[in-house]
Each structure stands twice: as structure tokens, then as C-alpha cells.
Amino acid sequence: MSAAREQPIFSTRAHVFQIDPATKRNWIPAGKHALTVSYFYDATRNVYRIISIGGAKAIINSTVTPNMTFTKTSQKFGQWADSRANTVYGLGFASEQQLTQFAEKFQEVKEAARLAREKSQDGEFSNPALALAAHQVPPSPLVSTNGPGEEKLFRSQSADAPGPTERERLKKMLSEGSVGEVQWEAEFFALQDSNQRLAGALREANAAAAQWKQQLEAQRAEAERLRQRVAELEAQATAEPVPVDEKEVTSESVEQLEDRVQTKDQEIQTLKNQSLGTREAPDTTEREETQQKVQDLETRNAELEQQLRALECSLEEVRAERERVRAEVGRATQLLDVRLFELSELREGLVRLAEGAP
């Protein structure tokens, strides 16, 4: 057993996390599935390590020291800080029992590491495996919490022990570490974060585009309604040539009535003069006839004046109606121009959004 420098002493499965080095607050998952996490004992160096392999690289390679502390942050999650690796590891277990077993084993291994350091400093530590055995951490057989239905990663020391070549490869892979893999992993997480941000921006852009489409449809409906209203008003304005003719006819009627009134006034004045000039004629009958004619002319004159005032009122009403229709057409035209301008801006915004979307 001298060839087997490192031996597994405990194994379990958990979801592995590392603290985000940028924020020191968020957790970065090592993978989508649970990984095997194991305690190893290095008999040559008298150290204990927590190791987890993901694919072809070591996700966790943490040397347990006496000053480390494993903290339970919830019923199924625990964490510890590794100052040498300058990071914090987190483990998420399937049950509280697995978390408790891992925490108890962490405490035992930490105590064994403390005793190993003290005895090595005093020069009395000759067999490091005895310290771990005294704290119920036997190297063989291996304790595993994988469950009866899962394949166990490690077995006992005497059965299916890895060969020297496999141990050397594992040792090299765990001790050295590839800079390219670290850079690739950092780039992968950066791309993943960028992809998430782009996906969020795309969802927001799609939501904004849907809202703008709804606004566009509403603007189109409003513009169509205004266009129909303007067309109706224009048709109403052009389909009423009668007021223009009526205006001309009314103007002519007014002029004729004014002429007739003047004529009648002249006749009345003439008759008055005649009545004054015929005082010498003592004919009473002719005088009465003349007075009757004067009264008839005055009555007719009053009627014509009333008709004239009625025609003038009608003319003013026609003019006011035409001005009102013209003002309403102008307001509708201005509102239509505003709606068309907003519709044009909305279309330009949608075009810019479509061109800028990935």
C-alpha cells in the first residue's frame, strides 16, 4: 500500500458552486448536475483534501487546514472558504442528512489535520493514518452516500485500487491545472452572462415592439376615422352650392327691395306734395283716395322692410354656417396632420428596432 499515496476516505454527491470572484456575493454553478465530492488523505504529505472532478478537470481541489470552517447556511446547503485558492466553495445536497454527514466528516478531517500538524511539529507523528483512524475516518472500506441505486466512485483500498499510471495522471491533473481551461471557463461564463443579457434585451425589445404595434394600429384607426370625417366635411362643403346661389339671389333680392323701397318713398313724397299742392281743390273724394294710396304705400313699404331684415338675417346665418364648417374642416385637417406625423415617427421607431435587433 506504499504506492497508493492518496486514498479516498469519504464520498458523496452534491451540486458544486463557487463564489463569483467579481462580486464576491453571487454563486456560480460548476455544472447542471450533481458531482461526486470526496475527501482524500495524502499519506506522504500528511494532508487531507476535498476533491471533485467534473469532466477532465478538478472543480474542487481544497486542502483542509485546522483553521477552516464549514458553515451550514440552510437545511441542504453548506460552504467553506479556501484562502489558498482565494475562493469560497458551496455544496447543495439532496437531503439534510447528506449535509450533516459531510459537515461531521469535515470536522473530523479538520481535527485530524490539526493533530497531524501538531505531531509533525513535535517529531512524534510517525504514522499519519492512525490520527484519522482515531477520529473514525478509516481509509478502508470507503464510506459513500451515493445511495444504493447509484454507481459508487470509490471502493476499498484492497479491491480495484487504481494503478500507478492512473494515480500519477490524477495527481498531475489535480496538482497542476491548465491555464487554458481556466481562461476557457471564464470566457464561457462571460459568454453565458452576455447571452442572458442579450436574451433579456431581446424579450424587452419584443415586448416594446408588440406595444408599439398596438399603438400603431390604434393610430391607424384614429387616422382613418379622421380621414373619413374630413372627407365627409369636404363632401358636405362641396355638396352645398345652394348657399352660394342663395347668397347671390338674396343679394339681388335685397337690391331689388331697396330699389322698390326707394321708388315707393319717392311716390309717397310725390303724393304728399300733390296733396299739399291741391289744397285749392275742394274735392274731398280725391283727397281721401290719395290718403288711402299713401297708407297702402306705407304699409307695403313696412312689409318690404320686414322682408329685407329677414333676408339679411338669413344671409348672416348662411355666412356663419359656412364659417363654422370651414373652421371644423381646418381643425380636422390639423388633427389629421398631427396623427400622420405620429404615425410616421412610430414607423421609423419600428424600423430602427427591427434593424438593431440581433
Side-chain angles (χ1 to χ4, degrees):
M1 299 302 294
S2 60
R5 198 187 76 174
E6 251 184 330
Q7 301 173 359
I9 57 177
F10 180 81
S11 177
T12 186
R13 291 184 67 83
H15 290 273
V16 180
F17 299 86
Q18 276 187 277
I19 201 71
D20 188 353
T23 62
K24 299 295 184 181
R25 295 178 61 183
N26 300 325
W27 289 107
I28 299 176
K32 297 181 179 180
H33 306 286
L35 302 175
T36 300
V37 183
S38 303
Y39 287 94
F40 277 80
Y41 172 65
D42 189 343
T44 304
R45 300 169 56 193
N46 295 331
V47 295
Y48 299 89
R49 292 196 299 170
I50 301 175
I51 297 175
S52 178
I53 306 297
K57 62 180 180 180
I59 305 299
I60 300 177
N61 186 7
S62 176
T63 301
V64 181
T65 60
N67 57 349
M68 283 186 176
T69 302
F70 184 82
T71 305
K72 296 180 181 180
T73 58
S74 66
Q75 293 182 350
K76 298 181 181 180
F77 192 87
Q79 65 184 43
W80 78 94
D82 190 341
S83 58
R84 295 183 180 179
N86 193 23
T87 187
V88 179
Y89 296 104
L91 298 179
F93 296 90
S95 64
E96 185 178 0
Q97 181 181 4
Q98 292 182 357
L99 174 61
T100 303
Q101 291 177 354
F102 187 89
E104 292 175 352
K105 196 61 62 177
F106 190 96
Q107 187 65 28
E108 293 177 4
V109 170
K110 186 177 74 169
E111 182 67 19
R114 185 186 65 80
L115 293 176
R117 176 180 294 182
E118 291 177 356
K119 290 186 178 180
S120 62
Q121 290 176 355
D122 296 339
E124 299 176 356
F125 191 81
S126 58
N127 189 3
L130 295 178
L132 185 61
H135 291 83
Q136 297 180 357
V137 189
S140 178
L142 173 67
V143 179
S144 174
T145 60
N146 292 337
E150 301 179 0
E151 180 182 358
K152 296 182 180 180
L153 180 63
F154 301 105
R155 298 184 181 180
S156 65
Q157 300 179 20
S158 60
D160 297 336
T165 303
E166 184 67 20
R167 286 196 302 273
E168 291 299 327
R169 185 187 68 81
L170 181 60
K171 170 187 173 183
K172 183 177 180 180
M173 182 177 59
L174 295 176
S175 60
E176 295 180 356
S178 173
V179 178
E181 290 181 354
V182 173
Q183 293 178 351
W184 178 86
E185 183 178 4
E187 184 178 357
F188 170 76
F189 283 116
L191 290 175
Q192 190 176 19
D193 294 338
S194 177
N195 186 26
Q196 291 178 356
R197 288 194 296 271
L198 288 176
L202 181 60
R203 287 193 295 269
E204 293 178 358
N206 290 334
Q211 185 177 2
W212 287 355
K213 286 181 180 179
Q214 293 178 357
Q215 294 179 358
L216 177 61
E217 294 298 329
Q219 294 289 345
R220 284 179 177 175
E222 182 68 15
E224 184 65 25
R225 187 185 67 81
L226 291 174
R227 189 179 292 110
Q228 292 178 359
R229 179 59 178 167
V230 170
E232 291 176 359
L233 292 175
E234 290 178 351
Q236 183 179 358
T238 56
E240 291 181 355
V242 178
V244 178
D245 297 339
E246 286 182 356
K247 178 181 178 181
E248 296 177 355
V249 172
T250 304
S251 300
E252 295 177 357
S253 301
V254 169
E255 293 175 357
Q256 292 175 1
L257 288 173
E258 288 178 352
D259 294 338
R260 291 176 63 182
V261 167
Q262 291 177 359
T263 303
K264 296 299 181 182
D265 288 338
Q266 292 175 1
E267 291 179 358
I268 292 171
Q269 188 65 31
T270 302
L271 291 173
K272 285 182 178 180
N273 293 333
Q274 290 178 359
S275 63
L276 292 175
T278 57
R279 289 179 180 177
E280 298 176 357
D283 191 359
T284 306
T285 304
E286 185 178 356
R287 186 182 305 171
E288 292 178 353
E289 290 178 355
T290 302
Q291 291 177 353
Q292 184 66 34
K293 288 181 180 180
V294 170
Q295 291 178 358
D296 293 340
L297 289 173
E298 288 178 353
T299 304
R300 181 61 179 168
N301 190 17
E303 292 177 354
L304 290 174
E305 288 179 354
Q306 291 180 356
Q307 292 180 2
L308 179 60
R309 285 194 295 270
L311 288 174
E312 288 178 351
C313 294
S314 177
L315 180 60
E316 291 297 330
E317 291 178 357
V318 170
R319 289 176 180 175
E321 180 66 19
R322 287 184 60 82
E323 290 297 330
R324 186 187 64 79
V325 172
R326 187 174 300 152
E328 188 173 356
V329 170
R331 287 194 300 271
T333 304
Q334 292 177 358
L335 184 58
L336 179 61
D337 292 338
V338 172
R339 295 301 184 185
L340 291 176
F341 178 73
E342 293 178 353
L343 183 62
S344 177
E345 286 187 343
L346 189 58
R347 285 179 178 174
E348 292 178 359
L350 288 175
V351 170
R352 289 195 299 269
L353 179 63
E355 291 176 354

